[in-house]
Amino acid sequence: MTNQDRAYYERRRAASLANAERVRTPMIAKIHRDFAAHYATMLAARRDTT
């Protein structure tokens, strides 16, 4: 994973967490938190391969 890829996943994770805090619908907030967890998992998985 390149530094650019890492930055992408970190930005997307942060944006998803921010969206989860901003929305009022619990189900939509959960979806955003799930995406944030996915991006964190991708970062952790890719970090091990470099």
Side-chain angles (χ1 to χ4, degrees), residues 9 12-17 28-42:
Y9 285 117
R12 294 308 311 144
R13 180 179 172 275
S16 291
L17 289 174
I28 301 300
K30 182 187 179 311
I31 292 168
H32 285 297
R33 284 191 302 274
D34 288 349
F35 271 110
H38 164 74
Y39 291 126
T41 300
M42 292 298 290

